[in-house]
mmCIF file of all heavy atoms in Angstrom:
data_model
loop_
_atom_site.group_PDB
_atom_site.id
_atom_site.type_symbol
_atom_site.label_atom_id
_atom_site.label_comp_id
_atom_site.label_asym_id
_atom_site.label_seq_id
_atom_site.Cartn_x
_atom_site.Cartn_y
_atom_site.Cartn_z
ATOM 1 N N GLU A 1 125.449 121.618 106.454
ATOM 2 C CA GLU A 1 125.646 120.178 106.283
ATOM 3 C C GLU A 1 125.831 119.793 104.827
ATOM 4 O O GLU A 1 126.500 118.808 104.510
ATOM 5 C CB GLU A 1 124.439 119.416 106.860
ATOM 6 C CG GLU A 1 124.365 119.404 108.377
ATOM 7 C CD GLU A 1 125.544 118.730 109.028
ATOM 8 O OE1 GLU A 1 125.812 117.551 108.728
ATOM 9 O OE2 GLU A 1 126.226 119.388 109.833
ATOM 10 N N VAL A 2 125.232 120.562 103.938
ATOM 11 C CA VAL A 2 125.312 120.293 102.503
ATOM 12 C C VAL A 2 125.762 121.567 101.794
ATOM 13 O O VAL A 2 125.165 122.624 101.975
ATOM 14 C CB VAL A 2 123.953 119.836 101.944
ATOM 15 C CG1 VAL A 2 124.064 119.580 100.444
ATOM 16 C CG2 VAL A 2 123.464 118.579 102.662
ATOM 17 N N ASP A 3 126.829 121.463 100.997
ATOM 18 C CA ASP A 3 127.290 122.660 100.303
ATOM 19 C C ASP A 3 126.585 122.817 98.952
ATOM 20 O O ASP A 3 125.823 121.950 98.513
ATOM 21 C CB ASP A 3 128.815 122.659 100.132
ATOM 22 C CG ASP A 3 129.336 121.470 99.337
ATOM 23 O OD1 ASP A 3 128.632 120.978 98.434
ATOM 24 O OD2 ASP A 3 130.479 121.028 99.605
ATOM 25 N N THR A 4 126.846 123.920 98.298
ATOM 26 C CA THR A 4 126.165 124.252 97.042
ATOM 27 C C THR A 4 126.421 123.213 95.959
ATOM 28 O O THR A 4 125.521 122.838 95.206
ATOM 29 C CB THR A 4 126.600 125.640 96.550
ATOM 30 O OG1 THR A 4 126.287 126.616 97.551
ATOM 31 C CG2 THR A 4 125.873 126.023 95.266
ATOM 32 N N ASP A 5 127.663 122.717 95.877
ATOM 33 C CA ASP A 5 127.993 121.715 94.856
ATOM 34 C C ASP A 5 127.209 120.423 95.062
ATOM 35 O O ASP A 5 126.741 119.811 94.092
ATOM 36 C CB ASP A 5 129.489 121.417 94.877
ATOM 37 C CG ASP A 5 130.323 122.564 94.321
ATOM 38 O OD1 ASP A 5 129.762 123.406 93.581
ATOM 39 O OD2 ASP A 5 131.530 122.631 94.639
ATOM 40 N N GLU A 6 127.050 120.015 96.330
ATOM 41 C CA GLU A 6 126.291 118.796 96.622
ATOM 42 C C GLU A 6 124.825 118.971 96.243
ATOM 43 O O GLU A 6 124.187 118.046 95.727
ATOM 44 C CB GLU A 6 126.411 118.451 98.101
ATOM 45 C CG GLU A 6 127.766 117.886 98.509
ATOM 46 C CD GLU A 6 127.836 117.580 99.988
ATOM 47 O OE1 GLU A 6 127.867 118.519 100.809
ATOM 48 O OE2 GLU A 6 127.852 116.387 100.336
ATOM 49 N N LEU A 7 124.283 120.147 96.499
ATOM 50 C CA LEU A 7 122.900 120.422 96.123
ATOM 51 C C LEU A 7 122.724 120.334 94.609
ATOM 52 O O LEU A 7 121.729 119.797 94.117
ATOM 53 C CB LEU A 7 122.476 121.802 96.630
ATOM 54 C CG LEU A 7 122.164 121.913 98.130
ATOM 55 C CD1 LEU A 7 121.980 123.371 98.534
ATOM 56 C CD2 LEU A 7 120.920 121.117 98.487
ATOM 57 N N LYS A 8 123.695 120.831 93.868
ATOM 58 C CA LYS A 8 123.615 120.797 92.412
ATOM 59 C C LYS A 8 123.667 119.369 91.871
ATOM 60 O O LYS A 8 123.038 119.041 90.870
ATOM 61 C CB LYS A 8 124.749 121.628 91.805
ATOM 62 C CG LYS A 8 124.587 123.133 91.972
ATOM 63 C CD LYS A 8 125.747 123.879 91.346
ATOM 64 C CE LYS A 8 125.592 125.387 91.486
ATOM 65 N NZ LYS A 8 126.756 126.125 90.900
ATOM 66 N N LYS A 9 124.453 118.508 92.551
ATOM 67 C CA LYS A 9 124.585 117.118 92.105
ATOM 68 C C LYS A 9 123.302 116.314 92.299
ATOM 69 O O LYS A 9 123.100 115.288 91.653
ATOM 70 C CB LYS A 9 125.730 116.435 92.854
ATOM 71 C CG LYS A 9 127.113 116.952 92.480
ATOM 72 C CD LYS A 9 128.184 116.282 93.313
ATOM 73 C CE LYS A 9 129.580 116.840 92.983
ATOM 74 N NZ LYS A 9 130.628 116.232 93.853
ATOM 75 N N SER A 10 122.449 116.778 93.205
ATOM 76 C CA SER A 10 121.189 116.081 93.463
ATOM 77 C C SER A 10 120.148 116.549 92.445
ATOM 78 O O SER A 10 119.199 117.280 92.765
ATOM 79 C CB SER A 10 120.729 116.362 94.902
ATOM 80 O OG SER A 10 119.651 115.540 95.241
ATOM 81 N N GLU A 11 120.297 116.101 91.220
ATOM 82 C CA GLU A 11 119.529 116.630 90.097
ATOM 83 C C GLU A 11 118.050 116.240 90.112
ATOM 84 O O GLU A 11 117.219 116.898 89.486
ATOM 85 C CB GLU A 11 120.162 116.172 88.781
ATOM 86 C CG GLU A 11 121.591 116.717 88.576
ATOM 87 C CD GLU A 11 122.220 116.243 87.293
ATOM 88 O OE1 GLU A 11 121.616 115.332 86.652
ATOM 89 O OE2 GLU A 11 123.294 116.758 86.915
ATOM 90 N N LYS A 12 117.705 115.159 90.840
ATOM 91 C CA LYS A 12 116.313 114.695 90.853
ATOM 92 C C LYS A 12 115.549 115.159 92.094
ATOM 93 O O LYS A 12 114.434 114.706 92.349
ATOM 94 C CB LYS A 12 116.282 113.173 90.749
ATOM 95 C CG LYS A 12 116.878 112.642 89.441
ATOM 96 C CD LYS A 12 116.755 111.138 89.332
ATOM 97 C CE LYS A 12 117.329 110.636 88.004
ATOM 98 N NZ LYS A 12 117.149 109.179 87.847
ATOM 99 N N LEU A 13 116.158 116.081 92.846
ATOM 100 C CA LEU A 13 115.541 116.601 94.066
ATOM 101 C C LEU A 13 114.901 117.957 93.807
ATOM 102 O O LEU A 13 115.537 118.846 93.249
ATOM 103 C CB LEU A 13 116.599 116.713 95.172
ATOM 104 C CG LEU A 13 116.210 117.455 96.449
ATOM 105 C CD1 LEU A 13 115.064 116.765 97.173
ATOM 106 C CD2 LEU A 13 117.434 117.599 97.366
ATOM 107 N N VAL A 14 113.657 118.104 94.236
ATOM 108 C CA VAL A 14 112.972 119.395 94.185
ATOM 109 C C VAL A 14 112.508 119.749 95.597
ATOM 110 O O VAL A 14 112.251 118.872 96.418
ATOM 111 C CB VAL A 14 111.771 119.390 93.219
ATOM 112 C CG1 VAL A 14 112.227 119.142 91.797
ATOM 113 C CG2 VAL A 14 110.730 118.351 93.624
ATOM 114 N N PHE A 15 112.390 121.037 95.870
ATOM 115 C CA PHE A 15 112.002 121.505 97.196
ATOM 116 C C PHE A 15 110.625 122.165 97.144
ATOM 117 O O PHE A 15 110.283 122.854 96.178
ATOM 118 C CB PHE A 15 113.018 122.508 97.730
ATOM 119 C CG PHE A 15 114.400 121.940 97.885
ATOM 120 C CD1 PHE A 15 115.433 122.328 97.031
ATOM 121 C CD2 PHE A 15 114.678 121.017 98.883
ATOM 122 C CE1 PHE A 15 116.707 121.805 97.175
ATOM 123 C CE2 PHE A 15 115.950 120.482 99.027
ATOM 124 C CZ PHE A 15 116.964 120.879 98.173
ATOM 125 N N SER A 16 109.854 121.969 98.214
ATOM 126 C CA SER A 16 108.508 122.545 98.238
ATOM 127 C C SER A 16 107.996 122.655 99.667
ATOM 128 O O SER A 16 108.375 121.881 100.547
ATOM 129 C CB SER A 16 107.542 121.689 97.412
ATOM 130 O OG SER A 16 106.224 122.212 97.485
ATOM 131 N N ASN A 17 107.117 123.631 99.889
ATOM 132 C CA ASN A 17 106.351 123.719 101.139
ATOM 133 C C ASN A 17 104.860 123.618 100.853
ATOM 134 O O ASN A 17 104.033 123.967 101.694
ATOM 135 C CB ASN A 17 106.669 125.024 101.886
ATOM 136 C CG ASN A 17 106.300 126.266 101.106
ATOM 137 O OD1 ASN A 17 106.220 126.263 99.880
ATOM 138 N ND2 ASN A 17 106.080 127.362 101.823
ATOM 139 N N ASP A 18 104.524 123.132 99.665
ATOM 140 C CA ASP A 18 103.140 122.955 99.229
ATOM 141 C C ASP A 18 102.766 121.472 99.331
ATOM 142 O O ASP A 18 103.393 120.622 98.672
ATOM 143 C CB ASP A 18 102.976 123.452 97.791
ATOM 144 C CG ASP A 18 101.532 123.450 97.311
ATOM 145 O OD1 ASP A 18 100.671 122.813 97.964
ATOM 146 O OD2 ASP A 18 101.263 124.060 96.261
ATOM 147 N N ILE A 19 101.755 121.163 100.141
ATOM 148 C CA ILE A 19 101.338 119.775 100.350
ATOM 149 C C ILE A 19 100.960 119.092 99.040
ATOM 150 O O ILE A 19 101.168 117.890 98.861
ATOM 151 C CB ILE A 19 100.165 119.713 101.347
ATOM 152 C CG1 ILE A 19 100.618 120.219 102.717
ATOM 153 C CG2 ILE A 19 99.631 118.289 101.482
ATOM 154 C CD1 ILE A 19 99.499 120.307 103.735
ATOM 155 N N ALA A 20 100.417 119.862 98.110
ATOM 156 C CA ALA A 20 100.002 119.293 96.828
ATOM 157 C C ALA A 20 101.163 118.624 96.095
ATOM 158 O O ALA A 20 100.960 117.678 95.326
ATOM 159 C CB ALA A 20 99.384 120.385 95.955
ATOM 160 N N ASP A 21 102.390 119.098 96.349
ATOM 161 C CA ASP A 21 103.559 118.563 95.645
ATOM 162 C C ASP A 21 103.992 117.195 96.158
ATOM 163 O O ASP A 21 104.832 116.538 95.531
ATOM 164 C CB ASP A 21 104.721 119.551 95.742
ATOM 165 C CG ASP A 21 104.484 120.807 94.913
ATOM 166 O OD1 ASP A 21 103.714 120.736 93.937
ATOM 167 O OD2 ASP A 21 105.049 121.869 95.262
ATOM 168 N N ILE A 22 103.477 116.770 97.300
ATOM 169 C CA ILE A 22 103.816 115.436 97.806
ATOM 170 C C ILE A 22 102.635 114.472 97.683
ATOM 171 O O ILE A 22 102.729 113.318 98.112
ATOM 172 C CB ILE A 22 104.293 115.490 99.272
ATOM 173 C CG1 ILE A 22 103.186 115.976 100.208
ATOM 174 C CG2 ILE A 22 105.538 116.365 99.394
ATOM 175 C CD1 ILE A 22 103.550 115.857 101.692
ATOM 176 N N ALA A 23 101.545 114.925 97.103
ATOM 177 C CA ALA A 23 100.326 114.116 97.052
ATOM 178 C C ALA A 23 100.475 112.859 96.210
ATOM 179 O O ALA A 23 99.821 111.842 96.482
ATOM 180 C CB ALA A 23 99.164 114.961 96.531
ATOM 181 N N ASP A 24 101.317 112.907 95.175
ATOM 182 C CA ASP A 24 101.469 111.728 94.321
ATOM 183 C C ASP A 24 102.652 110.858 94.728
ATOM 184 O O ASP A 24 102.993 109.894 94.032
ATOM 185 C CB ASP A 24 101.588 112.136 92.855
ATOM 186 C CG ASP A 24 102.844 112.946 92.561
ATOM 187 O OD1 ASP A 24 103.464 113.458 93.532
ATOM 188 O OD2 ASP A 24 103.211 113.057 91.365
ATOM 189 N N CYS A 25 103.297 111.161 95.865
ATOM 190 C CA CYS A 25 104.370 110.309 96.365
ATOM 191 C C CYS A 25 103.770 109.060 97.004
ATOM 192 O O CYS A 25 102.616 109.051 97.429
ATOM 193 C CB CYS A 25 105.227 111.063 97.376
ATOM 194 S SG CYS A 25 106.148 112.468 96.674
#
């Protein structure tokens, strides 16, 4: 659904499977 170029353009997106990383959202 999303190609590599689109992923690169999303510069403020980070990926995680650690709950601690969403705690301050």
Side-chain angles (χ1 to χ4, degrees):
E1 287 298 303
V2 179
D3 60 32
T4 301
D5 288 340
E6 286 179 289
L7 284 171
K8 288 180 179 179
K9 291 177 182 177
S10 190
E11 297 179 350
K12 297 184 179 183
L13 170 62
V14 297
F15 299 109
S16 177
N17 62 336
D18 187 345
I19 296 175
D21 290 335
I22 64 172
D24 65 344
C25 295

